[in-house]
Structure formats: structure tokens, C-alpha cells
Amino acid sequence: MDEAALRAQLAALGGSLFARGYSVGTAGNISVRLPDGFLMTPTNSCLGRLDPARISKLAPDFSHVSGDKPSKEVFMHRAVLTARPDAGAVVHLHSTHATAIACLAEPGEFAPIPPLTPYFVMRVGRFLPVIRYYRPGDGAMEKDIHEAAKGAKAVLLANHGPVVSGRTLEDAVHAAEELEEAARLALLLRGAGARSLTPAQVDDLLNTFG
Ligand code: 13P
């Protein structure tokens, strides 16, 4: 997909996430890897009203090249995109249920959402490391996220929200949606003695679809 098509896809998927309540106000940001750098949603932009022409473009060293001023979370995206060379995109949301889990889970925890359903395991994987709280935009979060992202497609930022990567932008959006659904199920079933997939079932999914 060329850059113009990716810009259009980014605006369309941002609009879809916003319309379905995965992001409110100006929360959330998205980055996409290009052959000559990255696209990044502008700071203080609403995912529901992105103008493809004004999306920020970053150089391979993540410096601002063109478009509006990029998200304050460039460090967060750089942490994942450099840890995962196979990742084509990163989606950060404040989606309600994943953020609720991020408020309950202990920093350092690796699996705050149980493997209740196959699609959570297939899209997000076995681990969802919980990173300690940092102020939004704080560059100090980069190191922790970078280390955790080497072994996980997604991380949860304590009291903030999920950061999810994917091979493509569409993959990252799908994984962010599955993560939000899994978080919702986990909260719905909290204390109900729900049956999780067994380790063998998780292995089977990851061997087949991972
Ligand atoms: P930006 O508007 O700078 O992208 O920040 C929004 C956000 O989600 C902070 O975590």
C-alpha cells in the first residue's frame, strides 16, 4: 500500500474506532511504518476526524518531517516499533475495559487478562506486560515499553491504557479491538469462576496461528 493509501486507511480506521467508542475526545494515537519513516496521528487530534493530508510524517529517526505536530506519545510508539521490527503499526487507546484492567493490574504482571477466548490469544498472544505509570508523553516510559514489547505484541500502561502492535495497521486495529473485548469479558466474569483455555489449548492456537 502506498503512503496516500495508508493515510486514507489511517483516517478511516481512526474514524471507525472513534465511532464505536474505542476512543473519546482526543484520546489515543496511531503510528504506521513507511519505507522512509513513519506516519503518526497529530497531537490533540480526534481519531474520528483525521485529515489524511495533515497526518504527521516522521523520519526514520522519528524526527518530525511534515504535517501537523505529532502525538506527544512518539516515545511510546518508538519503543514498540524499534523493539518489534516486524510491526507495521502501533495503536494506543484509552478504551474503557482495557484501561480498567490497567488500573487493577500490578505493574510487572505479565498476564492480567486470562486466555478466555481463542481470538484474544491469536491476536494479542500469551503475554500482556503491565508497565508502571508514567505521565502521558513522558519519554522515560520508552525503555520499559521497549524491553517489554520485545516479547509481547501489546502492553498495558498502568492507569493509562493499552499499546498494541500489528504486522499491518489493520492487524494492529483488530488486535486492539480483541484486547478491549477480552478485557470486557474478564471484567464481566470476574469472580464467576470462568473456565480459561488450558496451556495446551493456548499452545495449539499459537502454534497454528501465531
Ligand atoms: P496526543 O493527543 O498527543 O496523541 O495524546 C493523546 C493520548 O492518548 C495521550 O496518551
Side-chain angles (χ1 to χ4, degrees), residues 26-30 40-45 70-73 76-77 92-94 136-137 141 157 160:
T26 62
N29 31 70
I30 303 176
M40 167 78 64
T41 50
T43 191
N44 296 324
S45 61
S71 170
K72 69 173 81 65
E73 303 291 20
M76 174 201 292
H77 290 255
H92 165 57
L93 298 172
H94 301 170
M141 73 176 80
L157 307 182
H160 186 168

Side-chain angles (χ1 to χ4, degrees), residues 116 186 188-196:
L116 291 164
L188 270 175
L189 293 168
R190 222 151 63 107
R195 179 181 55 253
S196 287

Side-chain angles (χ1 to χ4, degrees), residues 16-106:
S16 168
L17 286 169
F18 183 80
R20 290 176 295 139
Y22 287 87
S23 156
V24 298
T26 62
N29 31 70
I30 303 176
S31 61
V32 182
R33 193 189 297 273
L34 299 172
D36 62 344
F38 304 91
L39 294 176
M40 167 78 64
T41 50
T43 191
N44 296 324
S45 61
C46 170
L47 292 189
R49 289 187 287 277
L50 291 171
D51 176 349
R54 293 178 57 177
I55 290 171
S56 317
K57 183 156 181 185
L58 308 180
D61 68 356
F62 292 85
S63 59
H64 185 201
V65 173
S66 62
D68 287 352
K69 186 179 175 202
S71 170
K72 69 173 81 65
E73 303 291 20
V74 169
F75 302 111
M76 174 201 292
H77 290 255
R78 183 168 74 176
V80 179
L81 289 162
T82 55
R84 303 186 69 80
D86 60 329
V90 174
V91 174
H92 165 57
L93 298 172
H94 301 170
S95 54
T96 308
H97 300 87
T99 303
I101 299 274
C103 296
L104 288 169
E106 285 298 327

